[in-house]
Amino acid sequence: MLDQTISKSSLRSHCSAADIYNFKLGWSLDEQLDSLEGIANNINSNEFKFSNFKSFSRNGKVVYKPVKAEDYFAVKIANHHLKKIFSVKQSDRQTLVKQLKILLQENTPFKLIKIDIKSFYETIPVEKLLKACWDDPILSYKTKEIIELLFNTEQFKKANGLPRGLSISSTLSEYYLKDLDKFIRELSGVYYSARYVDDIIVLCTPSEMDHKEKIIEFIKGIELKINEFKTKQLNNKVGIEPFIVEFLGYQFKNEGRNVNVTIAEKKIKKIKTRITLAFISFTKSKNYNLLEKRIKFLTGNFKLDSRSKVSGDSLKGGIFYNFSEIPENCESLIELDDYLKRITLSKKGALGEKINSLLNNPIRRKLLRHSFQKGFKNRVCHNFNYKEVAEIKACWINE
């Protein structure tokens, strides 16, 4: 039986190093336990209610972030209980990419269906999910109460669907789509299907003519919408012509048994935008050290404990860990290095003139020592603390 009590010990078991830093829980274990005990008491109080969450725009969508420790840990512990009881978890991105790469190498005809759910979080009917939570006999009353309090706040009552940025939204969305996943798996002729959040890919035998329409009909039947622009169906005809599909930040180009894997165009554009924003910020702050940290962050790799317990494994990120399935000589890395070189050496245009007036040649050479190709091939890893990462990302928050 899952222990759903909220106490200092249960909160500590889900407390990461980043949590300790962000909420100033204390340096020593005793200080941290005292802080967590106070937080647990506040959550368990009959007077507990959520305060307003911080909101900001990311890629045109509103994202929410809890500010108070009580709000953060209430959502985190309720999410843990939901994941255990509903038996849901998000698919592993790299595993899906590896699987698809292998399957696309098969020298047999197949049909590939790619479907994208439009405004996924915003269109999920929260009322149905709340009812499912209340009807579940295993979820504790306190967990149910936290979930209802969260979605009945004025802030989230006015919003549509599930709030982006909260871990509990991811879990509830996975639970909501369990029936869709089952429906796709059971379609005749389907030998592979994968879903990562709102991105769905299906491989089936060529003889299946209407699976795309059946899946779209099912999705609309559960009150979700389709992104028609990103939804497509491709036929692999051996020896005829290659086809290209993008999935989870990668671009797959299938040419018979050869599958060329590169970084998806959208991701390349995002990295280039971040390079540009780093230089724009530099022209305003004239903080060279911060500019170099941002270039290091983009071209290299890093490790953080933000998803682990204090003694757990590090979270790895960066150009290699984010795109580990591309080859070392990938043309995407060359393209990104060329872009970094051009903007570092630029002298024309409004931005180029400002950069040229602020950077001397020794500094330019130092910046150009950092390379996407080297960062990927040599697994170049930099050490950043949480404060530095927040500072590095500050100029990208509204990208």
Side-chain angles (χ1 to χ4, degrees), residues 210-339:
D210 57 356
H211 279 2
K212 177 186 168 187
E213 289 69 27
K214 287 179 180 177
I215 296 169
I216 290 175
E217 183 180 359
F218 189 97
I219 291 171
K220 290 181 178 178
I222 56 173
E223 301 179 45
L224 299 178
K225 299 176 182 178
I226 300 296
N227 187 330
E228 300 289 351
F229 180 73
K230 294 183 179 180
T231 296
K232 61 179 69 177
Q233 180 171 287
L234 301 169
N235 292 303
N236 176 49
K237 298 178 182 179
V238 179
I240 305 299
E241 59 183 33
F243 71 76
I244 298 173
V245 64
E246 292 193 355
F247 187 57
L248 304 185
Y250 290 89
Q251 182 187 88
F252 300 84
K253 186 177 182 180
N254 180 33
E255 298 175 293
R257 286 187 177 274
N258 296 318
V259 178
N260 183 29
V261 182
T262 57
I263 302 174
E265 290 183 10
K266 184 178 179 180
K267 293 294 182 182
I268 292 174
K269 183 179 179 181
K270 181 176 181 179
I271 296 171
K272 287 180 178 179
T273 298
R274 288 191 165 191
I275 294 171
T276 303
L277 290 173
F279 276 93
I280 291 173
S281 178
F282 166 68
T283 62
K284 297 175 182 177
S285 69
K286 300 177 178 56
N287 187 335
Y288 165 74
N289 290 329
L290 180 55
L291 172 63
E292 187 178 21
K293 283 181 184 179
R294 285 171 173 156
I295 300 305
K296 283 183 177 181
F297 187 86
L298 291 171
T299 59
N301 305 281
F302 57 88
K303 294 180 181 180
L304 287 174
D305 296 325
S306 59
R307 285 187 187 171
S308 65
K309 297 172 188 175
V310 176
S311 59
D313 295 330
S314 296
L315 166 68
K316 298 174 182 178
I319 193 65
F320 172 76
Y321 294 110
N322 292 346
F323 303 104
S324 59
E325 294 307 305
I326 63 173
E328 289 182 351
N329 62 345
C330 181
E331 58 195 43
S332 302
L333 299 174
I334 298 170
E335 181 181 345
L336 289 170
D337 275 338
D338 287 344
Y339 186 81

Side-chain angles (χ1 to χ4, degrees), residues 126 130 147-153 156-157 161-163 168 172:
V126 174
L130 290 178
I147 296 167
E148 183 162 4
L149 282 171
L150 175 67
F151 289 105
N152 281 327
T153 60
F156 295 136
K157 260 187 173 181
L162 297 172
I168 200 167
L172 288 170

Side-chain angles (χ1 to χ4, degrees), residues 23 81 100 123 145 184 199 207 285 292 299 317 334 343 350 371 394:
F23 295 108
H81 297 160
L100 183 60
T123 53
E145 185 182 53
I184 294 173
D199 213 351
S207 57
S285 69
E292 187 178 21
T299 59
I334 298 170
I343 197 168
S371 157

